[in-house]
Amino acid sequence: VFSDAMAATVVPHDPAPITLTLITIATQRTPSTLLSVECAVLVPMKSFDNAKARLSGVLSPHLRGMFARWMADQVFNSARPLPLYVVCDDEEVAHFADTRACTVLWKPGLGLNAAVQAAVDDLALLGHDHAVVSHGDLPRSKDMATLIEPDAITLVPDLRSDGTNVISLPLGTGPLGTGPLGTGFEFSYGPRSFERHLVAARSTGRALSVRHH
């Protein structure tokens, strides 16, 4: 069982993209019923086998996978009752998300940024008008709904203001290929992503706020 004490050992998330697979499968896997509501939470997740590689000197691969599942559960709990989506290209992660009542958006072989971009476009097509995109390794995540500001973008950087833990943004109605259905925002995770996301948010002309959690 993982605790807050162990959560304190968490290092910033690895910038590596979502693990690629060779599985051929439909581009979207969803439960039988889709909830069409205004706001949704999207959690990109990579293979549990590659979770928290920076802790390899402390935890075995099995324990790192358990830790990753525990952290994801904390994020899911902080998102409810908003509808939850997980974007991934790993079957084990997809099964885990299914057991947590998440809708799985299957995006194989795209890498993290393109997968998130495509998944956010999917949310707009499904009828959502706002998305909160959160990493799945934030064990102290609390009440995602507080990050939703109508027609505004909210960024939550990591402790070093280097990476970006959470991005909350409205979804536009423009053509595909111009950010999330016309918002003009482009996801750019990796080292120094917070700086790039600030530039991307400002370029949209929308109101912008930064929350330090």
Side-chain angles (χ1 to χ4, degrees):
V1 177
F2 294 101
S3 64
D4 286 343
M6 179 167 281
T9 68
V10 177
V11 296
H13 63 82
D14 299 318
I18 296 174
T19 305
L20 305 184
T21 70
L22 298 178
I23 298 172
T24 301
I25 194 167
T27 57
Q28 182 172 321
R29 303 171 68 255
T30 63
S32 57
T33 303
L34 280 175
L35 297 179
S36 180
V37 296
E38 294 182 354
C39 303
V41 175
L42 176 69
V43 182
M45 294 182 65
K46 60 184 176 181
S47 167
F48 292 128
D49 291 339
N50 296 323
K52 287 301 173 190
R54 295 184 185 183
L55 295 177
S56 59
V58 180
L59 299 176
S60 68
H62 175 68
L63 287 177
R64 293 202 311 273
M66 290 180 60
F67 193 24
R69 289 173 175 83
W70 177 80
M71 288 189 292
D73 278 333
Q74 310 314 303
V75 172
F76 295 161
N77 290 337
S78 74
R80 293 187 173 95
L82 296 173
L84 271 162
Y85 293 79
V86 167
V87 56
C88 66
D89 65 354
D90 181 87
E91 280 290 339
E92 187 179 8
V93 170
H95 175 72
F96 171 81
D98 281 340
T99 65
R100 267 58 177 180
C102 301
T103 297
V104 177
L105 300 177
W106 185 258
K107 304 295 180 185
L110 296 182
L112 176 58
N113 290 311
V116 170
Q117 202 89 39
V120 170
D121 281 347
D122 285 351
L123 295 185
L125 292 172
L126 288 168
H128 299 288
D129 61 16
H130 201 104
V132 178
V133 184
S134 172
H135 285 298
D137 58 354
L138 305 176
R140 296 181 179 179
S141 178
K142 295 181 180 179
D143 199 357
M144 293 282 184
T146 63
L147 299 176
I148 298 170
E149 298 182 30
D151 205 35
I153 297 174
T154 302
L155 302 179
V156 181
D158 64 17
L159 290 176
R160 300 178 299 169
S161 292
D162 180 82
T164 315
N165 286 343
V166 185
I167 300 172
S168 174
L169 75 168
L171 305 183
T173 57
L176 290 169
T178 56
L181 284 183
T183 64
F185 186 92
E186 292 189 10
F187 294 92
S188 184
Y189 292 107
R192 301 187 69 178
S193 71
F194 178 57
E195 179 180 328
R196 293 191 298 276
H197 286 143
L198 275 175
V199 172
R202 288 168 178 154
S203 72
T204 68
R206 295 180 182 267
L208 169 64
S209 65
V210 175
R211 306 273 190 92
H212 294 273
H213 281 194

